[in-house]
Amino acid sequence: MVKRVLPVTNRLGIHARPAGMIVDITTHAKSDVQIHYGDLRANAKSILNVMMLAAEPGSEVTFVIEGEDEERVADELQKLFENRFNED
Amino acid sequence: METEAGRTRILLRGLPVSAGYAIGKVRFVHRKPQSDVVQTIPEERVPYEISLFEKAHARSLREVELLRSQMSETISAQDASIFRTHIQILQDPKIAEDVPKLILEEHLTAASAVYKVTHELSLFFEKIASGDKARDIDDIADRLMGNLSEETQALNAPVLDEECVIVAHNVTPSLLAGADTSKILALATDTGGATSHVAILARSLRIPAVVGLNRVSLVARDGDTIVLDGVEGDVVVNPTEDEVELYRQRRRRWIERQSDIVARSKTSRPETLDGKYVPMLANVELPEETANALELGAEGVGLLRSEFLFFRGAIPSEEEQFQAYRLALESAYPNPVTIRTVDTGGDKLVKGLSLSDEPNPVMGWRSIRVCLDEPAMFRTQLRALLRASVYGRLKVMFPMICGYDELTRAKAMLEEVRAELERERIPVAESVEVGMMVEVPSAVMQIKSLVGEVDFLSIGTNDLIQFTLAVDRSNEKVKDLYRAHHPGVLRLVNMVCDAAHDEGITVSVCGEMASDMLSMVLLVGLGVDELSLIPARIAGNKAFLRSLTYSEMRECALECLKMKTADEIDALLLSRYAERAAEFGAPAAPRKAPAAGADGAKRER
């Protein structure tokens, strides 16, 4: 199991487009991927779930990934967050 | 204050989000009434309602997919991502799985189940931060509902038989995309902000729009006169005569300025001051766009991407393909239409023709490689193409050719299919020009042995640049290394032109470089004979070309060929042509990496 805490640094937070980019990664993953935000927890393979968290800029989300490609998925997600969802 | 007709004049101020002026009649667009009565069904109807939902769901996905491909020509990649999001939401388990579950467990009708699921989501999103998310859900719900019911299906896009100003509480992206946008003079909505989907789309489609008017949908009635000022944000319902006159003048001046260039494009020849003629054709995604491209001054279609047919789900039948190609050929006649055989793969996945899990899809099983490996599919396309050839001037083009054997194999199949049709006594045009895309460096390196095999070449600059420079443009870390004006790229283009001209055949460019004005100087200067561009860029590029001489472009290109870095080349082009290009509407962007458009848009992930 891999746990990855990622800061939300893009300007608009996790709105529809970033959520879509996250789901692009998670739905192609063989691993199970959960996203935690505050007390909320959701299946990160559902764009609606991810959108419903409405993670705000300046906050943090935690991914909990379990499965054969967990490391790769965690790295891809981290890269996506670091690149601020290509927003700039 | 009252106007003659007795209707009250109402002035509203909102947020101008797309510039321009409009005077017209109000066309009020309702959201379709949703069935908020929860209806239950006897158990034996459950499978029927589930299959109804599945059909509506599949149809909705196809529609959004089609809208996305239609819109990708007219709007930027960033804006087109709206449709991508819609597809992801439709595919979300919360919709794709929860709706059938509700039907099964609670014996609801498909419509009630869709309502229940989407209404809860919509309420949720309305509560948190952005209203845009709620609108996305509403839009998707509308589409699903529309597809669920035969009667409301026709309402999916409003039928606009005369010009009008659309007034609505909010306008969903797909409503705009599905309607005949040429009839829409302007948009006025109660809700929305500067970055709302509607605003972005209105700007891309060049329709003036004012949003955030709060109550325009309550005060304006169908048929009311309305003036809209997309510069200041004023909207007047039932204006006085003086106001109408004032806005007419403003509108006239605005349109004169904007349309001058386009108007000239239709009647003017793409010719330099010293008489060099450089035909400008259009890149189109759908055959239906052909007529519009000619209106904008295109002299035919330089690239019809046949993939559009393949994105609709199943591999299209020969008849379906034939009808589509015929439509394009007939609309363009007597101008030529170059149809590229299916270019799947890379980032363009088609069910049954793509591997979903390739480690390096751009260099994987794609394009002509798929065609040669799947001869039955390829032959079907070639048959449809040759059958359509008698309806216009068809040119067939093979993509992603890496070398001689691929080209000759593809050509041999075309000849076999021709012989087969002749045996069946199906008419085929006597001359169908055959060409290839030049987009892989190996093809350039052996271009001398390829030119003898084809009637024309078309350089696909997007792939050629990415393969030559080994840069994946969607990778943030390296995307700045993607330089269209890299000396290596210019030399390759130069080699292609020289070899083609020695053989007496023409070279066209259909990548996004052809749409960029400064790149166009280089391309024409290097000897490119023909350009194929995004329809919206034809007018501006044509006007720009007409302000130049071929000799200065040639001189500039030869100077650039001697330079050692892309920076030097950019600097020269900018100092010499940036100002003039801006006069003709070139986007005033720094030239480090040309703006994505056309092909480039699709490469974004």
Side-chain angles (χ1 to χ4, degrees), chain A residues 14-17 20 24 46-49 51-52 54 83 86, chain B residues 78 81 84-85 88-89 92 94 121 124-125 128 133 137 476:
Chain A
I14 301 184
H15 57 100
R17 210 171 71 92
D24 266 339
S46 154
I47 184 173
L48 288 167
N49 273 337
M51 281 165 68
M52 284 165 91
N83 289 335
N86 302 338
Chain B
Q78 187 96 359
S81 72
R84 168 104 187 100
T85 306
Q88 287 176 315
I89 292 176
D92 195 282
K94 272 191 159 17
L121 288 168
F124 182 89
F125 283 125
I128 61 168
K133 287 179 192 170
I137 302 290
E476 286 293 309

PDB file of all heavy atoms in Angstrom, chain A residues 14-17 20 24 46-49 51-52 54 83 86, chain B residues 78 81 84-85 88-89 92 94 121 124-125 128 133 137 476:
ATOM      1  N   ILE A  14      -9.415  21.570  -7.098  1.00  0.00           N
ATOM      2  CA  ILE A  14      -9.764  20.413  -7.921  1.00  0.00           C
ATOM      3  C   ILE A  14     -11.190  20.563  -8.448  1.00  0.00           C
ATOM      4  O   ILE A  14     -12.152  20.101  -7.854  1.00  0.00           O
ATOM      5  CB  ILE A  14      -9.582  19.107  -7.134  1.00  0.00           C
ATOM      6  CG1 ILE A  14      -8.112  19.027  -6.678  1.00  0.00           C
ATOM      7  CG2 ILE A  14      -9.924  17.900  -8.032  1.00  0.00           C
ATOM      8  CD1 ILE A  14      -7.771  17.756  -5.977  1.00  0.00           C
ATOM      9  N   HIS A  15     -11.301  21.267  -9.563  1.00  0.00           N
ATOM     10  CA  HIS A  15     -12.593  21.425 -10.217  1.00  0.00           C
ATOM     11  C   HIS A  15     -12.705  20.350 -11.308  1.00  0.00           C
ATOM     12  O   HIS A  15     -11.950  19.380 -11.314  1.00  0.00           O
ATOM     13  CB  HIS A  15     -12.753  22.845 -10.769  1.00  0.00           C
ATOM     14  CG  HIS A  15     -11.680  23.243 -11.721  1.00  0.00           C
ATOM     15  ND1 HIS A  15     -11.857  23.202 -13.077  1.00  0.00           N
ATOM     16  CD2 HIS A  15     -10.405  23.632 -11.511  1.00  0.00           C
ATOM     17  CE1 HIS A  15     -10.727  23.588 -13.656  1.00  0.00           C
ATOM     18  NE2 HIS A  15      -9.840  23.843 -12.745  1.00  0.00           N
ATOM     19  N   ALA A  16     -13.635  20.535 -12.212  1.00  0.00           N
ATOM     20  CA  ALA A  16     -13.934  19.458 -13.156  1.00  0.00           C
ATOM     21  C   ALA A  16     -12.720  18.971 -13.960  1.00  0.00           C
ATOM     22  O   ALA A  16     -12.478  17.771 -14.062  1.00  0.00           O
ATOM     23  CB  ALA A  16     -15.042  19.911 -14.102  1.00  0.00           C
ATOM     24  N   ARG A  17     -11.948  19.903 -14.503  1.00  0.00           N
ATOM     25  CA  ARG A  17     -10.875  19.476 -15.394  1.00  0.00           C
ATOM     26  C   ARG A  17      -9.777  18.704 -14.653  1.00  0.00           C
ATOM     27  O   ARG A  17      -9.398  17.604 -15.064  1.00  0.00           O
ATOM     28  CB  ARG A  17     -10.300  20.669 -16.161  1.00  0.00           C
ATOM     29  CG  ARG A  17      -9.762  20.299 -17.532  1.00  0.00           C
ATOM     30  CD  ARG A  17      -9.416  21.542 -18.324  1.00  0.00           C
ATOM     31  NE  ARG A  17      -8.242  22.197 -17.777  1.00  0.00           N
ATOM     32  CZ  ARG A  17      -7.001  21.942 -18.191  1.00  0.00           C
ATOM     33  NH1 ARG A  17      -6.787  21.085 -19.153  1.00  0.00           N
ATOM     34  NH2 ARG A  17      -5.989  22.564 -17.640  1.00  0.00           N
ATOM     35  N   GLY A  20     -10.950  15.347 -13.862  1.00  0.00           N
ATOM     36  CA  GLY A  20     -10.893  14.495 -15.048  1.00  0.00           C
ATOM     37  C   GLY A  20      -9.492  13.958 -15.284  1.00  0.00           C
ATOM     38  O   GLY A  20      -9.303  12.795 -15.652  1.00  0.00           O
ATOM     39  N   ASP A  24      -8.330  10.120 -15.260  1.00  0.00           N
ATOM     40  CA  ASP A  24      -7.616   9.533 -16.403  1.00  0.00           C
ATOM     41  C   ASP A  24      -6.533   8.580 -15.918  1.00  0.00           C
ATOM     42  O   ASP A  24      -6.285   7.545 -16.527  1.00  0.00           O
ATOM     43  CB  ASP A  24      -6.947  10.639 -17.230  1.00  0.00           C
ATOM     44  CG  ASP A  24      -7.836  11.085 -18.377  1.00  0.00           C
ATOM     45  OD1 ASP A  24      -8.727  10.314 -18.757  1.00  0.00           O
ATOM     46  OD2 ASP A  24      -7.634  12.201 -18.879  1.00  0.00           O
ATOM     47  N   SER A  46     -13.829   7.606  -9.666  1.00  0.00           N
ATOM     48  CA  SER A  46     -15.081   8.249 -10.075  1.00  0.00           C
ATOM     49  C   SER A  46     -14.871   9.755 -10.139  1.00  0.00           C
ATOM     50  O   SER A  46     -14.527  10.397  -9.139  1.00  0.00           O
ATOM     51  CB  SER A  46     -16.185   7.915  -9.061  1.00  0.00           C
ATOM     52  OG  SER A  46     -17.173   8.913  -9.054  1.00  0.00           O
ATOM     53  N   ILE A  47     -15.046  10.336 -11.318  1.00  0.00           N
ATOM     54  CA  ILE A  47     -14.820  11.786 -11.472  1.00  0.00           C
ATOM     55  C   ILE A  47     -15.775  12.567 -10.585  1.00  0.00           C
ATOM     56  O   ILE A  47     -15.427  13.586  -9.994  1.00  0.00           O
ATOM     57  CB  ILE A  47     -14.937  12.225 -12.949  1.00  0.00           C
ATOM     58  CG1 ILE A  47     -14.603  13.713 -13.083  1.00  0.00           C
ATOM     59  CG2 ILE A  47     -16.313  11.957 -13.521  1.00  0.00           C
ATOM     60  CD1 ILE A  47     -14.524  14.222 -14.504  1.00  0.00           C
ATOM     61  N   LEU A  48     -17.006  12.052 -10.447  1.00  0.00           N
ATOM     62  CA  LEU A  48     -17.984  12.763  -9.623  1.00  0.00           C
ATOM     63  C   LEU A  48     -17.558  12.769  -8.163  1.00  0.00           C
ATOM     64  O   LEU A  48     -17.629  13.791  -7.495  1.00  0.00           O
ATOM     65  CB  LEU A  48     -19.364  12.116  -9.791  1.00  0.00           C
ATOM     66  CG  LEU A  48     -19.999  12.391 -11.158  1.00  0.00           C
ATOM     67  CD1 LEU A  48     -21.194  11.481 -11.397  1.00  0.00           C
ATOM     68  CD2 LEU A  48     -20.421  13.840 -11.276  1.00  0.00           C
ATOM     69  N   ASN A  49     -17.078  11.623  -7.681  1.00  0.00           N
ATOM     70  CA  ASN A  49     -16.574  11.560  -6.314  1.00  0.00           C
ATOM     71  C   ASN A  49     -15.481  12.590  -6.102  1.00  0.00           C
ATOM     72  O   ASN A  49     -15.475  13.311  -5.112  1.00  0.00           O
ATOM     73  CB  ASN A  49     -15.992  10.176  -6.033  1.00  0.00           C
ATOM     74  CG  ASN A  49     -17.061   9.215  -5.559  1.00  0.00           C
ATOM     75  OD1 ASN A  49     -18.083   9.640  -5.051  1.00  0.00           O
ATOM     76  ND2 ASN A  49     -16.817   7.935  -5.752  1.00  0.00           N
ATOM     77  N   MET A  51     -14.813  15.258  -7.843  1.00  0.00           N
ATOM     78  CA  MET A  51     -15.340  16.622  -7.925  1.00  0.00           C
ATOM     79  C   MET A  51     -16.087  17.001  -6.646  1.00  0.00           C
ATOM     80  O   MET A  51     -16.063  18.137  -6.207  1.00  0.00           O
ATOM     81  CB  MET A  51     -16.296  16.747  -9.111  1.00  0.00           C
ATOM     82  CG  MET A  51     -15.608  16.906 -10.465  1.00  0.00           C
ATOM     83  SD  MET A  51     -16.757  16.601 -11.850  1.00  0.00           S
ATOM     84  CE  MET A  51     -17.869  17.985 -11.711  1.00  0.00           C
ATOM     85  N   MET A  52     -16.774  16.021  -6.076  1.00  0.00           N
ATOM     86  CA  MET A  52     -17.607  16.319  -4.910  1.00  0.00           C
ATOM     87  C   MET A  52     -16.786  16.654  -3.666  1.00  0.00           C
ATOM     88  O   MET A  52     -17.279  17.292  -2.752  1.00  0.00           O
ATOM     89  CB  MET A  52     -18.561  15.147  -4.619  1.00  0.00           C
ATOM     90  CG  MET A  52     -19.725  15.112  -5.597  1.00  0.00           C
ATOM     91  SD  MET A  52     -20.624  13.556  -5.575  1.00  0.00           S
ATOM     92  CE  MET A  52     -21.866  13.927  -4.355  1.00  0.00           C
ATOM     93  N   ALA A  54     -14.406  18.696  -3.772  1.00  0.00           N
ATOM     94  CA  ALA A  54     -14.169  20.136  -3.941  1.00  0.00           C
ATOM     95  C   ALA A  54     -12.950  20.604  -3.161  1.00  0.00           C
ATOM     96  O   ALA A  54     -13.002  21.559  -2.390  1.00  0.00           O
ATOM     97  CB  ALA A  54     -15.407  20.921  -3.519  1.00  0.00           C
ATOM     98  N   ASN A  83       2.659  19.529 -11.468  1.00  0.00           N
ATOM     99  CA  ASN A  83       2.515  20.348 -12.685  1.00  0.00           C
ATOM    100  C   ASN A  83       1.275  21.227 -12.631  1.00  0.00           C
ATOM    101  O   ASN A  83       0.905  21.845 -13.624  1.00  0.00           O
ATOM    102  CB  ASN A  83       2.435  19.457 -13.928  1.00  0.00           C
ATOM    103  CG  ASN A  83       3.764  18.813 -14.241  1.00  0.00           C
ATOM    104  OD1 ASN A  83       4.803  19.332 -13.875  1.00  0.00           O
ATOM    105  ND2 ASN A  83       3.724  17.674 -14.924  1.00  0.00           N
ATOM    106  N   ASN A  86      -1.396  21.343 -15.415  1.00  0.00           N
ATOM    107  CA  ASN A  86      -1.104  22.101 -16.634  1.00  0.00           C
ATOM    108  C   ASN A  86      -1.966  23.352 -16.770  1.00  0.00           C
ATOM    109  O   ASN A  86      -2.352  23.735 -17.861  1.00  0.00           O
ATOM    110  CB  ASN A  86      -1.318  21.241 -17.889  1.00  0.00           C
ATOM    111  CG  ASN A  86      -0.471  20.006 -17.867  1.00  0.00           C
ATOM    112  OD1 ASN A  86       0.539  19.961 -17.172  1.00  0.00           O
ATOM    113  ND2 ASN A  86      -0.874  18.998 -18.624  1.00  0.00           N
TER     114      ASN A  86
ATOM    115  N   GLN B  78      -8.162  23.593 -24.719  1.00  0.00           N
ATOM    116  CA  GLN B  78      -8.582  23.828 -23.349  1.00  0.00           C
ATOM    117  C   GLN B  78     -10.116  23.859 -23.257  1.00  0.00           C
ATOM    118  O   GLN B  78     -10.712  23.260 -22.386  1.00  0.00           O
ATOM    119  CB  GLN B  78      -8.005  25.178 -22.896  1.00  0.00           C
ATOM    120  CG  GLN B  78      -8.227  25.479 -21.434  1.00  0.00           C
ATOM    121  CD  GLN B  78      -7.007  25.080 -20.616  1.00  0.00           C
ATOM    122  OE1 GLN B  78      -6.035  24.581 -21.154  1.00  0.00           O
ATOM    123  NE2 GLN B  78      -7.072  25.276 -19.326  1.00  0.00           N
ATOM    124  N   SER B  81     -12.014  20.615 -23.726  1.00  0.00           N
ATOM    125  CA  SER B  81     -11.922  19.661 -22.624  1.00  0.00           C
ATOM    126  C   SER B  81     -13.229  19.589 -21.842  1.00  0.00           C
ATOM    127  O   SER B  81     -13.457  18.655 -21.101  1.00  0.00           O
ATOM    128  CB  SER B  81     -10.754  20.004 -21.701  1.00  0.00           C
ATOM    129  OG  SER B  81     -11.056  21.160 -20.957  1.00  0.00           O
ATOM    130  N   ARG B  84     -14.754  16.488 -22.877  1.00  0.00           N
ATOM    131  CA  ARG B  84     -14.028  15.364 -22.298  1.00  0.00           C
ATOM    132  C   ARG B  84     -14.571  15.104 -20.883  1.00  0.00           C
ATOM    133  O   ARG B  84     -14.820  13.970 -20.492  1.00  0.00           O
ATOM    134  CB  ARG B  84     -12.534  15.719 -22.277  1.00  0.00           C
ATOM    135  CG  ARG B  84     -11.684  14.795 -21.474  1.00  0.00           C
ATOM    136  CD  ARG B  84     -10.905  13.865 -22.378  1.00  0.00           C
ATOM    137  NE  ARG B  84     -10.211  12.866 -21.592  1.00  0.00           N
ATOM    138  CZ  ARG B  84     -10.658  11.631 -21.427  1.00  0.00           C
ATOM    139  NH1 ARG B  84     -11.765  11.242 -22.003  1.00  0.00           N
ATOM    140  NH2 ARG B  84      -9.972  10.771 -20.712  1.00  0.00           N
ATOM    141  N   THR B  85     -14.730  16.192 -20.121  1.00  0.00           N
ATOM    142  CA  THR B  85     -15.272  16.055 -18.771  1.00  0.00           C
ATOM    143  C   THR B  85     -16.664  15.434 -18.808  1.00  0.00           C
ATOM    144  O   THR B  85     -16.986  14.564 -18.013  1.00  0.00           O
ATOM    145  CB  THR B  85     -15.343  17.438 -18.093  1.00  0.00           C
ATOM    146  OG1 THR B  85     -14.060  18.033 -18.162  1.00  0.00           O
ATOM    147  CG2 THR B  85     -15.775  17.325 -16.647  1.00  0.00           C
ATOM    148  N   GLN B  88     -16.427  11.796 -19.252  1.00  0.00           N
ATOM    149  CA  GLN B  88     -16.009  11.118 -18.017  1.00  0.00           C
ATOM    150  C   GLN B  88     -17.153  11.035 -17.012  1.00  0.00           C
ATOM    151  O   GLN B  88     -17.309  10.037 -16.318  1.00  0.00           O
ATOM    152  CB  GLN B  88     -14.817  11.847 -17.389  1.00  0.00           C
ATOM    153  CG  GLN B  88     -13.528  11.628 -18.173  1.00  0.00           C
ATOM    154  CD  GLN B  88     -12.392  12.434 -17.585  1.00  0.00           C
ATOM    155  OE1 GLN B  88     -12.536  13.598 -17.270  1.00  0.00           O
ATOM    156  NE2 GLN B  88     -11.235  11.811 -17.437  1.00  0.00           N
ATOM    157  N   ILE B  89     -17.955  12.101 -16.948  1.00  0.00           N
ATOM    158  CA  ILE B  89     -19.074  12.073 -16.006  1.00  0.00           C
ATOM    159  C   ILE B  89     -20.106  11.033 -16.444  1.00  0.00           C
ATOM    160  O   ILE B  89     -20.614  10.269 -15.631  1.00  0.00           O
ATOM    161  CB  ILE B  89     -19.705  13.478 -15.872  1.00  0.00           C
ATOM    162  CG1 ILE B  89     -18.719  14.416 -15.182  1.00  0.00           C
ATOM    163  CG2 ILE B  89     -21.023  13.408 -15.096  1.00  0.00           C
ATOM    164  CD1 ILE B  89     -19.173  15.855 -15.081  1.00  0.00           C
ATOM    165  N   ASP B  92     -19.028   7.755 -15.445  1.00  0.00           N
ATOM    166  CA  ASP B  92     -18.805   7.568 -14.019  1.00  0.00           C
ATOM    167  C   ASP B  92     -19.745   6.503 -13.468  1.00  0.00           C
ATOM    168  O   ASP B  92     -20.919   6.451 -13.822  1.00  0.00           O
ATOM    169  CB  ASP B  92     -19.052   8.892 -13.294  1.00  0.00           C
ATOM    170  CG  ASP B  92     -18.501   8.872 -11.878  1.00  0.00           C
ATOM    171  OD1 ASP B  92     -19.163   8.281 -10.993  1.00  0.00           O
ATOM    172  OD2 ASP B  92     -17.419   9.430 -11.680  1.00  0.00           O
ATOM    173  N   LYS B  94     -21.219   6.414 -10.794  1.00  0.00           N
ATOM    174  CA  LYS B  94     -22.367   7.035 -10.141  1.00  0.00           C
ATOM    175  C   LYS B  94     -23.535   7.212 -11.120  1.00  0.00           C
ATOM    176  O   LYS B  94     -24.685   7.322 -10.709  1.00  0.00           O
ATOM    177  CB  LYS B  94     -21.989   8.396  -9.566  1.00  0.00           C
ATOM    178  CG  LYS B  94     -21.432   8.321  -8.165  1.00  0.00           C
ATOM    179  CD  LYS B  94     -21.344   9.717  -7.589  1.00  0.00           C
ATOM    180  CE  LYS B  94     -21.300   9.792  -6.095  1.00  0.00           C
ATOM    181  NZ  LYS B  94     -20.987   8.618  -5.352  1.00  0.00           N
ATOM    182  N   LEU B 121     -27.023  14.986  -7.428  1.00  0.00           N
ATOM    183  CA  LEU B 121     -25.679  15.483  -7.726  1.00  0.00           C
ATOM    184  C   LEU B 121     -25.710  16.984  -7.950  1.00  0.00           C
ATOM    185  O   LEU B 121     -24.875  17.734  -7.450  1.00  0.00           O
ATOM    186  CB  LEU B 121     -25.128  14.791  -8.976  1.00  0.00           C
ATOM    187  CG  LEU B 121     -24.723  13.325  -8.808  1.00  0.00           C
ATOM    188  CD1 LEU B 121     -24.483  12.704 -10.175  1.00  0.00           C
ATOM    189  CD2 LEU B 121     -23.464  13.223  -7.953  1.00  0.00           C
ATOM    190  N   PHE B 124     -26.128  18.910  -4.835  1.00  0.00           N
ATOM    191  CA  PHE B 124     -24.877  18.894  -4.092  1.00  0.00           C
ATOM    192  C   PHE B 124     -23.901  19.942  -4.629  1.00  0.00           C
ATOM    193  O   PHE B 124     -23.322  20.720  -3.895  1.00  0.00           O
ATOM    194  CB  PHE B 124     -24.241  17.500  -4.155  1.00  0.00           C
ATOM    195  CG  PHE B 124     -22.970  17.392  -3.370  1.00  0.00           C
ATOM    196  CD1 PHE B 124     -22.999  17.032  -2.041  1.00  0.00           C
ATOM    197  CD2 PHE B 124     -21.749  17.679  -3.960  1.00  0.00           C
ATOM    198  CE1 PHE B 124     -21.836  16.955  -1.304  1.00  0.00           C
ATOM    199  CE2 PHE B 124     -20.569  17.601  -3.231  1.00  0.00           C
ATOM    200  CZ  PHE B 124     -20.620  17.238  -1.892  1.00  0.00           C
ATOM    201  N   PHE B 125     -23.738  19.945  -5.939  1.00  0.00           N
ATOM    202  CA  PHE B 125     -22.761  20.862  -6.531  1.00  0.00           C
ATOM    203  C   PHE B 125     -23.217  22.311  -6.443  1.00  0.00           C
ATOM    204  O   PHE B 125     -22.405  23.223  -6.404  1.00  0.00           O
ATOM    205  CB  PHE B 125     -22.470  20.476  -7.985  1.00  0.00           C
ATOM    206  CG  PHE B 125     -21.565  19.291  -8.089  1.00  0.00           C
ATOM    207  CD1 PHE B 125     -21.937  18.170  -8.813  1.00  0.00           C
ATOM    208  CD2 PHE B 125     -20.342  19.301  -7.454  1.00  0.00           C
ATOM    209  CE1 PHE B 125     -21.096  17.073  -8.894  1.00  0.00           C
ATOM    210  CE2 PHE B 125     -19.495  18.202  -7.537  1.00  0.00           C
ATOM    211  CZ  PHE B 125     -19.874  17.086  -8.259  1.00  0.00           C
ATOM    212  N   ILE B 128     -21.922  23.553  -3.022  1.00  0.00           N
ATOM    213  CA  ILE B 128     -20.504  23.847  -2.868  1.00  0.00           C
ATOM    214  C   ILE B 128     -20.065  24.786  -3.984  1.00  0.00           C
ATOM    215  O   ILE B 128     -20.695  24.886  -5.032  1.00  0.00           O
ATOM    216  CB  ILE B 128     -19.632  22.573  -2.871  1.00  0.00           C
ATOM    217  CG1 ILE B 128     -19.795  21.844  -4.194  1.00  0.00           C
ATOM    218  CG2 ILE B 128     -19.998  21.677  -1.703  1.00  0.00           C
ATOM    219  CD1 ILE B 128     -18.779  20.757  -4.386  1.00  0.00           C
ATOM    220  N   LYS B 133     -20.209  23.385 -11.997  1.00  0.00           N
ATOM    221  CA  LYS B 133     -20.283  21.934 -11.904  1.00  0.00           C
ATOM    222  C   LYS B 133     -21.731  21.477 -11.965  1.00  0.00           C
ATOM    223  O   LYS B 133     -22.054  20.487 -12.606  1.00  0.00           O
ATOM    224  CB  LYS B 133     -19.643  21.453 -10.603  1.00  0.00           C
ATOM    225  CG  LYS B 133     -18.137  21.561 -10.604  1.00  0.00           C
ATOM    226  CD  LYS B 133     -17.591  21.093  -9.274  1.00  0.00           C
ATOM    227  CE  LYS B 133     -16.117  21.461  -9.136  1.00  0.00           C
ATOM    228  NZ  LYS B 133     -15.655  21.225  -7.782  1.00  0.00           N
ATOM    229  N   ILE B 137     -23.696  18.953 -14.693  1.00  0.00           N
ATOM    230  CA  ILE B 137     -24.576  17.837 -14.372  1.00  0.00           C
ATOM    231  C   ILE B 137     -25.947  18.032 -15.037  1.00  0.00           C
ATOM    232  O   ILE B 137     -26.508  17.118 -15.633  1.00  0.00           O
ATOM    233  CB  ILE B 137     -24.763  17.717 -12.837  1.00  0.00           C
ATOM    234  CG1 ILE B 137     -23.426  17.549 -12.151  1.00  0.00           C
ATOM    235  CG2 ILE B 137     -25.713  16.571 -12.509  1.00  0.00           C
ATOM    236  CD1 ILE B 137     -22.736  16.236 -12.381  1.00  0.00           C
ATOM    237  N   GLU B 476       5.038  18.447 -19.809  1.00  0.00           N
ATOM    238  CA  GLU B 476       5.343  19.793 -19.328  1.00  0.00           C
ATOM    239  C   GLU B 476       6.840  20.087 -19.267  1.00  0.00           C
ATOM    240  O   GLU B 476       7.284  21.176 -19.551  1.00  0.00           O
ATOM    241  CB  GLU B 476       4.761  19.971 -17.927  1.00  0.00           C
ATOM    242  CG  GLU B 476       3.269  20.139 -17.920  1.00  0.00           C
ATOM    243  CD  GLU B 476       2.857  21.449 -18.567  1.00  0.00           C
ATOM    244  OE1 GLU B 476       3.410  22.485 -18.164  1.00  0.00           O
ATOM    245  OE2 GLU B 476       2.015  21.417 -19.478  1.00  0.00           O
TER     246      GLU B 476
END
